[in-house]
Amino acid sequence: MIIQRVVLNSRPGKNGVPVAENFRLEQSTIADTIQAGQVRVRTLYLSVDPYMRCRMNEDTGSDYLLPWQLSEVADGGGIGVVEESKHGNLAKGDFVTSFSWPWQTVAILDGSLLQKLVPQLVNGRLSYFLGAAGITGLTALLGIKEKGHVTGGANQTMVVSGAAGACGSLAGQIGRLEGCSRVVGIAGTDEKCSILVQEMGFDAAINYKKGNVAEQLRELCPGGVDVYFDNVGGDISDTVISQMNQNSHIILCGQISQYNRDVPYPPPLPPDIEKIQKERNITRERFLVLNYMDKQEASILQLCQWIQEGKLKVRETVVEGLANIGAAFQSMMNGGNIGKQIVSISK
């Protein structure tokens, strides 16, 4: 069977900025028959995520992320529909997902590595299982629960950087649902800031490209910052940390501003900011959602309930066609999208 797939065409280099041309669309073939335990699936949606930047390097800098290989098919979160099955728990027509879905139109996969999806849990929006009701939502929810130390009624203020992104837009809302009394987002355009406040329920949002971020933070967080959901690192995070309270908490989710630099993860803080962190006893521990998979099922059900009740607003930036996945990746890394970046694969 002839299929289309996307392979890693070139590496941007550890300090390089990824571009669409780092990926290549090509024709390939898969077997016409499947073996016992396998399923043939047609791809419906693929997830494009910031962590994938690390996989473009020969060394990902992480013990849990494998690098993509040159001229080999890329992979990540994906959703598809079963077209043929020789696995006892999966039947034709079932919707399934995997964290290591190949970027190709049709694939033969080990059925035991797939998770069956229930579309009704997300009001039929299957792509949500790659975002708000998937690993992205889990990261936001478990990050806040495990590292944020949010306590209802404690009058806590949360700041979220990268707040218009897939994880940040959920984290701010979840912070409020978990008990924060004030939530402030930081994003890169007026449009994003407007969406955060008017649609996502943030109390305020700062366009970091306009005005003085430190001054705006002082105005919007007069009592200081108690919880910081950090998606970006760098200068923005240094500014937020300088205004954090005694015994406050940083949820170290991502450091996208540092992904095109050859630095360790998490990147070290500048000496003056590290001094503030230590003097104020601010926690800054590495957070990895994969360490909390025992809480996955209950957390996914909670996320789905919030979605069904309209308490969790979801934004997606959807790009059509496998041929455009490289451009979608480049746009996401440049901060051009709002919410989760999804690539929809048509027949």
Side-chain angles (χ1 to χ4, degrees):
M1 177 184 294
I2 298 174
I3 63 165
Q4 287 189 315
R5 68 177 193 171
V6 170
V7 303
L8 184 65
N9 186 51
S10 59
R11 301 190 191 277
K14 283 193 173 184
N15 299 307
V17 177
V19 294
E21 290 74 24
N22 291 134
F23 299 95
R24 182 176 77 247
L25 179 71
E26 62 180 28
Q27 277 196 345
S28 186
T29 59
I30 60 171
D32 292 324
T33 58
I34 61 175
Q35 306 299 315
Q38 292 182 329
V39 294
R40 187 178 76 245
V41 292
R42 177 167 53 85
T43 304
L44 299 176
Y45 300 102
L46 294 170
S47 176
V48 180
D49 301 286
Y51 82 88
M52 293 174 170
R53 173 62 185 88
C54 304
R55 301 193 66 190
M56 299 180 79
N57 298 333
E58 287 186 78
D59 179 2
T60 65
S62 169
D63 54 4
Y64 65 92
L65 286 178
L66 294 175
W68 286 328
Q69 299 301 318
L70 289 172
S71 296
E72 295 292 333
V73 67
D75 68 301
I79 290 173
V81 60
V82 176
E83 293 190 324
E84 183 183 359
S85 175
K86 290 188 177 179
H87 187 278
N89 295 331
L90 297 173
K92 183 177 179 180
D94 284 346
F95 296 105
V96 291
T97 187
S98 167
F99 291 138
S100 53
W101 195 286
W103 287 7
Q104 56 193 58
T105 50
V106 180
I108 295 174
L109 302 174
D110 181 344
S112 65
L113 301 180
L114 299 174
Q115 180 181 358
K116 190 188 296 189
L117 300 174
V118 181
Q120 293 82 357
L121 289 176
V122 288
N123 301 324
R125 297 293 298 270
L126 273 174
S127 58
Y128 283 11
F129 284 115
L130 293 178
I135 196 71
T136 310
L138 282 174
T139 300
L141 176 56
L142 290 171
I144 288 167
K145 280 184 167 293
E146 300 297 327
K147 300 295 184 182
H149 303 276
V150 173
T151 305
N155 197 33
Q156 291 168 297
T157 293
M158 171 186 278
V159 171
V160 183
S161 59
C167 198
S169 60
L170 299 172
Q173 298 178 75
I174 293 170
R176 172 62 52 73
L177 289 166
E178 288 293 304
C180 285
S181 59
R182 186 165 183 76
V183 179
V184 176
I186 302 175
T189 68
D190 288 342
E191 178 193 10
K192 291 178 179 180
C193 290
S194 177
I195 288 171
L196 290 173
V197 174
Q198 296 179 15
E199 188 176 314
M200 306 290 187
F202 284 61
D203 293 285
I206 296 170
N207 180 349
Y208 70 87
K209 295 181 180 177
K210 284 187 174 180
N212 185 298
V213 174
E215 289 179 0
Q216 293 177 76
L217 266 179
R218 277 190 289 271
E219 179 182 338
L220 295 172
C221 308
V225 178
D226 301 295
V227 183
Y228 173 39
F229 200 98
D230 185 6
N231 285 304
V232 302
D235 293 341
I236 293 294
S237 291
D238 296 345
T239 302
V240 176
I241 294 169
S242 69
Q243 297 190 33
M244 294 186 74
N245 292 326
Q246 194 74 25
N247 301 318
S248 53
H249 305 284
I250 299 169
I251 302 165
L252 196 58
C253 178
Q255 303 281 278
I256 194 168
S257 72
Q258 309 297 302
Y259 286 171
N260 295 328
R261 298 177 58 205
D262 185 14
V263 294
Y265 187 87
L269 296 171
D272 56 330
I273 302 300
E274 185 177 17
K275 182 180 179 183
I276 290 173
Q277 181 208 346
K278 290 180 178 178
E279 288 178 347
R280 298 181 191 173
N281 193 34
I282 302 170
T283 63
R284 184 181 184 256
E285 301 164 346
R286 185 173 184 174
F287 171 72
L288 179 61
V289 71
L290 299 178
N291 291 337
Y292 301 93
M293 285 296 98
D294 59 315
K295 301 181 180 181
Q296 175 183 354
E297 186 175 352
S299 298
I300 290 290
L301 290 175
Q302 175 66 84
L303 292 163
C304 290
Q305 181 181 335
W306 282 335
I307 291 169
Q308 290 174 340
E309 294 172 348
K311 293 180 178 178
L312 197 59
K313 308 295 184 183
V314 182
R315 271 275 186 157
E316 293 179 323
T317 299
V318 180
V319 173
E320 298 287 341
L322 186 62
N324 295 315
I325 199 167
F329 186 88
Q330 179 179 343
S331 175
M332 176 205 61
M333 290 301 299
N334 290 335
N337 60 300
I338 297 174
K340 180 70 178 180
Q341 180 76 71
I342 298 287
V343 176
S344 175
I345 312 298
S346 56
K347 287 186 179 180

